[in-house]
Amino acid sequence: QLQLVESGGGLVQPGGSLRLSCAASGFTLDSYAIGWFRQAPGKGREGVSCISSRGGTTSYVDSVKGRFTISRDNATNTVYLQMNSLKPEDTGVYYCAADLLLLRLCTLAHSEYDYWGQGTQVTVSS
């Protein structure tokens, strides 16, 4: 089965850091673009960051630029989201998603992705 599993979420204070992981099984992750998405309480799903299959192209939503870094280690079939200088508005459930994108190297549009993890909760609060 194609499977993505997120981990690394938790409760942190504003200004703190978390490193999220997305581990894939059942398929070769290096063939897929990966996106990170989040859903805050009462809000829709928002694209946070994405990375192309080879890792050469990355994108970030404006609100996290300079604070978050997406990376991938295709040798271990894992994608990471390093989150620094966290703010309360970063709170939400974070999901990773994968797709064999043909028209773009990566995208922050959640409708483009076929395979999704179950999410990991990130709470930023003092």
Side-chain angles (χ1 to χ4, degrees), residues 5 8-9 15 17 22 24-25 29 31 35-36 42-43 45-46 53 57 70 80 83 100 105 112-113:
V5 179
S17 297
C22 175
S25 63
L29 194 59
S31 299
W36 281 99
K43 302 291 186 179
R45 190 164 297 187
E46 175 188 35
S53 60
T57 299
I70 191 170
Y80 303 97
M83 306 186 296
L100 292 167
L105 292 175
E112 299 279 348
Y113 292 86

Side-chain angles (χ1 to χ4, degrees), residues 75-126:
T76 60
N77 235 20
T78 305
V79 175
Y80 303 97
L81 185 67
Q82 178 67 46
M83 306 186 296
N84 298 326
S85 301
L86 284 162
K87 303 175 180 179
E89 52 262 44
D90 295 318
T91 293
V93 178
Y94 282 69
Y95 303 87
C96 66
D99 202 79
L100 292 167
L101 298 178
L102 299 178
L103 301 179
R104 294 186 176 95
L105 292 175
C106 76
T107 180
L108 299 180
H110 67 264
S111 62
E112 299 279 348
Y113 292 86
D114 290 332
Y115 306 105
W116 291 81
Q118 292 298 306
T120 184
Q121 177 69 44
V122 172
T123 303
V124 185
S125 177
S126 60

Side-chain angles (χ1 to χ4, degrees), residues 54-81:
R54 290 189 173 187
T57 299
T58 59
S59 293
Y60 300 89
V61 66
D62 285 346
S63 61
V64 310
K65 288 180 179 176
R67 299 189 297 118
F68 290 12
T69 303
I70 191 170
S71 62
R72 66 192 301 159
D73 184 352
N74 287 340
T76 60
N77 235 20
T78 305
V79 175
Y80 303 97
L81 185 67

